[in-house]
Amino acid sequence: MSSKKSAGTISDLNKPYEENEIGLKGILWFGVGLFLLIVITFGLMWALLNVLKDYQRETAGPVNPLAMNEQERLPPEPRLQLAPGFGVEAEKGRVNLELLPPQAEYRELHKQWEQLWVGGSKDAKTGTVISLPIEEAKNRFLSQGVKARTGADAEAAYDKARTMISESSSGRVASEKIR
């Protein structure tokens, strides 16, 4: 670093390169100033945080009546098995399946279905029969003496039930027959 400077030009034309004069003093002052600015900003933000916490403690009033409770904040069913609140609604209440294997949902629903198949269900308030056990429903249906349809109507219903929509008709016409 040279302290002598040329009178007319910034660079010395006799040298094949330009000398860079780096002001180390300026760089150090900038670094110290930047460090002080960071420390002051950190202190001010810490003070602001404490003031806001104090203000929150002072103004903490009754809970907002429109705030959602924990159950209302959950996303709608179906949820992932490990998600909070994953479960199945049953007659006795909600069955919690959060940390159980994925098959637990099917097993719980299968138990409920078997109870319906075997015992049927009744409305708790009115006592009205909602569903009958399968065997009882079969016996009631067979005791009514329902006759099978015969004739042209029965053949038309049978033919209609056998036809299916094919890909060749682009979903417009039921053209193929199921064998």
Side-chain angles (χ1 to χ4, degrees), residues 46-62:
W46 182 68
L48 177 65
L49 181 65
N50 287 334
V51 168
L52 291 176
K53 283 182 182 177
D54 292 340
Y55 178 73
Q56 183 183 9
R57 279 189 223 117
E58 291 173 3
T59 60

Side-chain angles (χ1 to χ4, degrees), residues 55 103 143 146:
Y55 178 73
Q103 302 90 334
S143 66
V146 178

Side-chain angles (χ1 to χ4, degrees), residues 70-80 83-86 94:
E70 194 64 35
Q71 189 66 21
E72 292 172 340
R73 279 192 216 120
L74 292 173
E77 293 281 348
R79 297 185 199 106
L80 296 174
F86 177 71
R94 186 161 180 85

Side-chain angles (χ1 to χ4, degrees), residues 33-125:
L34 185 62
F35 178 75
L36 289 175
L37 184 64
I38 290 171
V39 168
I40 291 170
T41 305
F42 175 76
L44 288 173
M45 294 307 289
W46 182 68
L48 177 65
L49 181 65
N50 287 334
V51 168
L52 291 176
K53 283 182 182 177
D54 292 340
Y55 178 73
Q56 183 183 9
R57 279 189 223 117
E58 291 173 3
T59 60
V63 177
N64 184 357
L66 296 178
M68 292 190 291
N69 61 22
E70 194 64 35
Q71 189 66 21
E72 292 172 340
R73 279 192 216 120
L74 292 173
E77 293 281 348
R79 297 185 199 106
L80 296 174
Q81 283 84 4
L82 296 178
F86 177 71
V88 176
E89 294 293 332
E91 288 181 13
K92 298 173 186 171
R94 186 161 180 85
V95 178
N96 188 4
L97 302 172
E98 285 180 17
L99 299 176
L100 298 176
Q103 302 90 334
E105 181 181 15
Y106 172 76
R107 290 178 184 143
E108 182 62 35
L109 289 174
H110 192 68
K111 278 192 248 177
Q112 292 177 17
W113 295 334
E114 283 181 345
Q115 290 173 355
L116 282 176
W117 295 333
V118 173
S121 65
K122 293 184 178 183
D123 188 9
K125 294 179 182 176

